[in-house]
Amino acid sequence: MSYIEKKYNNKISEVFEELAKIEQDILELFTFKSINYSDKIAKLCALSNRNINLILKKYYPEIKQISDKLRIKSRLKFYYDLIDKLTHYIRCVEEFQKLDDQYYEAIMEFIEEKEELISGKYREICVHELTVFYDKKTREDLERVLSEKIEMGSKQFFTYGSLEAEIKKIARIAGADEVAIFNSEEMLKRAEFINNPRAIIHYSVYSTDEEILKEIGREIKEFLISKGFEALILLLEITDLTLEQEFLTGSIITNANLNPD
């Protein structure tokens, strides 16, 4: 383990310790089962989000060991869901001004089951994600299947399902977490660099690894070109939503006639 990796692993542990203290403060406020503490909860939620973003932006990219990645990602997923629940709570308070006690109890139970969730549900999810993204054999198997499809179909890729279904399948095999297709006339007006633009394919990954995003774009573009369409990767960017996890997004504009989501 390199010096910087060891240092950042320690920094991540320190941030998680801070998050654990914040989560206990949140748990204590929820025991009152009162909307009077919603402002304090909102501030603690925002503080938790800033701490998570600190890990994602500054420390996590330097972590190389898969075992460390698994440990960190499993814990982060718990906090992603906690922040999501707290954000929903704040919105409900603003809209209804009164909540059933069971709502408070459900969040309290979630926090109390933290370690069980991290070692069980979230670890299982992260094992799958890291296997797909980082396991050499798995990636080689995926690449072999794609190569065979290309050879058999003269780069026709998959030969079943609609064009939009094919695109989504290719994107997800390449690592996309979300794929959406739009054909808004207003959006397409800005795409004069493609002849007769008809659709925008939008894809994203809950990761900070830009190579994954680039690979998704390359796979979709190659597929569309093989079908006789034009395709241009429009943008690559990091999206950092307030009270949400950081993720990467990309778009491809094409003259293929695709049905929107």
Side-chain angles (χ1 to χ4, degrees):
M1 183 184 294
S2 68
Y3 168 79
I4 191 70
E5 189 173 356
K6 184 177 181 179
K7 177 181 177 181
Y8 281 4
N9 255 309
N10 291 335
K11 289 291 185 183
I12 289 171
S13 295
E14 290 174 6
V15 176
F16 278 140
E17 288 176 5
E18 181 63 27
L19 282 165
K21 294 176 183 177
I22 294 171
E23 123 206 352
Q24 288 305 308
D25 289 341
I26 292 170
L27 182 60
E28 183 178 350
L29 291 174
F30 266 94
T31 61
F32 293 105
K33 299 179 181 179
S34 170
I35 65 170
N36 294 334
Y37 298 96
S38 60
D39 286 344
K40 289 184 178 180
I41 290 170
K43 290 177 181 177
L44 291 171
C45 184
L47 182 57
S48 298
N49 187 65
R50 285 198 293 273
N51 276 294
I52 288 173
N53 283 334
L54 176 62
I55 292 175
L56 287 171
K57 291 179 179 179
K58 187 172 182 179
Y59 304 135
Y60 185 77
E62 297 297 330
I63 305 302
K64 309 302 180 186
Q65 292 289 332
I66 297 299
S67 58
D68 290 331
K69 286 180 175 289
L70 177 58
R71 172 179 55 81
I72 295 164
K73 283 175 67 70
S74 300
R75 200 157 290 270
L76 282 174
K77 282 194 179 293
F78 167 79
Y79 286 109
Y80 292 156
D81 281 358
L82 176 59
I83 287 173
D84 185 61
K85 292 178 185 297
L86 294 176
T87 304
H88 186 265
Y89 162 78
I90 294 163
R91 289 171 181 162
C92 286
V93 168
E94 291 174 349
E95 184 173 355
F96 302 113
Q97 294 297 303
K98 182 175 176 58
L99 297 174
D100 190 277
D101 285 355
Q102 290 183 348
Y103 194 104
Y104 295 95
E105 290 166 1
I107 297 179
M108 290 165 62
E109 183 178 357
F110 176 79
I111 294 174
E112 289 167 349
E113 293 178 350
K114 167 186 163 183
E115 294 303 328
E116 181 180 345
L117 289 168
I118 290 171
S119 62
K121 172 185 174 181
Y122 295 125
R123 187 178 188 281
E124 184 177 344
I125 292 171
C126 292
V127 165
H128 174 71
E129 290 179 353
L130 289 169
T131 298
V132 173
F133 290 153
Y134 297 102
D135 184 77
K136 184 178 180 181
K137 185 179 184 304
T138 301
R139 293 190 68 83
E140 286 175 350
D141 288 343
L142 290 174
E143 290 167 3
R144 176 180 54 76
V145 171
L146 285 172
S147 296
E148 289 174 357
K149 293 292 183 181
I150 292 170
E151 291 173 4
M152 291 172 60
S154 298
K155 294 186 79 72
Q156 292 302 301
F157 288 77
F158 303 95
T159 57
Y160 53 88
S162 65
L163 189 59
E164 349 23 308
E166 306 269 344
I167 289 169
K168 290 180 179 179
K169 183 177 287 293
I170 289 167
R172 290 188 173 116
I173 286 176
D177 291 302
E178 302 289 345
V179 188
I181 295 169
F182 306 95
N183 60 12
S184 162
E185 291 184 7
E186 184 61 32
M187 295 172 70
L188 293 171
K189 283 179 182 177
R190 308 172 189 174
E192 298 175 352
F193 32 79
I194 288 281
N195 291 326
N196 190 25
R198 292 187 175 182
I200 294 176
I201 304 159
H202 189 76
Y203 48 93
S204 60
V205 291
Y206 294 106
S207 169
T208 56
D209 189 341
E210 294 183 22
E211 289 305 313
I212 297 173
L213 196 73
K214 291 176 183 177
E215 180 64 19
I216 297 167
R218 285 192 292 265
E219 292 286 350
I220 297 174
K221 181 178 178 179
E222 188 175 358
F223 170 72
L224 287 166
I225 291 174
S226 78
K227 293 292 185 180
F229 300 111
E230 290 185 59
L232 181 67
I233 297 176
L234 191 62
L235 60 90
L236 298 170
E237 65 180 16
I238 296 177
T239 302
D240 182 13
L241 297 178
T242 302
L243 302 183
E244 297 287 348
Q245 64 263 46
E246 182 178 84
F247 60 96
L248 299 176
T249 63
S251 297
I252 289 180
I253 194 151
T254 178
N255 58 359
N257 188 12
L258 305 174
N259 292 323
D261 286 0

